[in-house]
Amino acid sequence: RKAVCACALFATLPGVATAETFALKVADLDHGRFRNEQVFSGFGCHGENVSPHVTWSNAPAGTRSIVVTIHDPDAPTGGLGWTHWAVVNIPPSQTSLQKGASGNVNLLPPGVTETLTDFGQSKYGGPCPPQGKPHRYIVTAYALDIPHIDVSPASSPALVAFQMHGKIIARARYVATYQSAAN
């Protein structure tokens, strides 16, 4: 019996060992740093505010929708951070958001919703940290076990997080950085 059990255990290991990890990439960065093209235009920053090209791969079985966010945990907000982008209800067959897709219904996948950022708009808002140390921008793709979360373009980052709670089956992250130049 022990030999049978051991064989059954080892027979399952190759499937686990070859499973690919849910992964995320952000294109058009300069060695992991946002370029001026992605930087916010406002709050003293003079970027082009173009949303980056974000791709993900190997979403796990059971994924019924994807949510993509960009969040700055280093923002001076008393530990709350700053949400720069939230795109929800992305179909599981989709594997990317094109560069410049934010605010452009022709470039966004059908049925997706961009929700409020901490800039108060329902579209991408690029990096614009205060001068000083570099800030981290955590780009995350969440694989959800439901096809749709109940939010609208006017929904806050907190409501998006609340609607995802308990429905996340996997997440993939990429950390980019940006530091404002001295005047």
Side-chain angles (χ1 to χ4, degrees):
R1 289 185 197 196
K2 289 181 182 178
V4 172
C5 291
C7 291
L9 174 64
F10 289 123
T12 62
L13 289 179
V16 173
T18 60
E20 299 206 34
T21 304
F22 189 30
L24 182 134
K25 294 181 183 177
V26 181
D28 306 316
L29 300 181
D30 182 14
H31 298 93
R33 293 183 305 267
F34 281 104
R35 298 174 186 229
N36 193 58
E37 183 177 43
Q38 286 89 33
V39 172
F40 189 68
S41 181
F43 285 23
C45 292
H46 305 288
E48 298 171 38
N49 207 45
V50 174
S51 60
H53 181 209
V54 179
T55 61
W56 53 92
S57 58
N58 305 314
T63 299
R64 298 186 63 206
S65 67
I66 303 283
V67 172
V68 172
T69 64
I70 300 178
H71 187 260
D72 172 5
D74 303 316
T77 58
L80 299 175
W82 192 272
T83 298
H84 288 262
W85 200 21
V87 185
V88 305
N89 300 329
I90 302 169
S93 59
Q94 191 72 33
T95 58
S96 69
L97 293 172
Q98 293 183 42
K99 175 180 171 181
S102 181
N104 185 337
V105 295
N106 295 321
L107 294 180
L108 284 171
V112 306
T113 300
E114 291 182 278
T115 62
L116 281 178
T117 67
D118 286 318
F119 288 110
Q121 299 178 328
S122 299
K123 63 181 185 176
Y124 173 80
C128 183
Q131 290 181 12
K133 68 177 184 115
H135 281 220
R136 296 168 293 154
Y137 296 86
I138 301 173
V139 185
T140 307
Y142 298 91
L144 306 183
D145 63 2
I146 59 171
H148 182 270
I149 60 173
D150 189 19
V151 295
S152 72
S155 296
S156 69
L159 182 59
V160 171
F162 177 78
Q163 291 291 332
M164 290 192 316
H165 182 73
K167 299 164 183 87
I168 299 169
I169 57 176
R171 68 187 75 195
R173 291 186 172 164
Y174 182 96
V175 180
T177 61
Y178 183 76
Q179 180 175 6
S180 290
N183 288 336

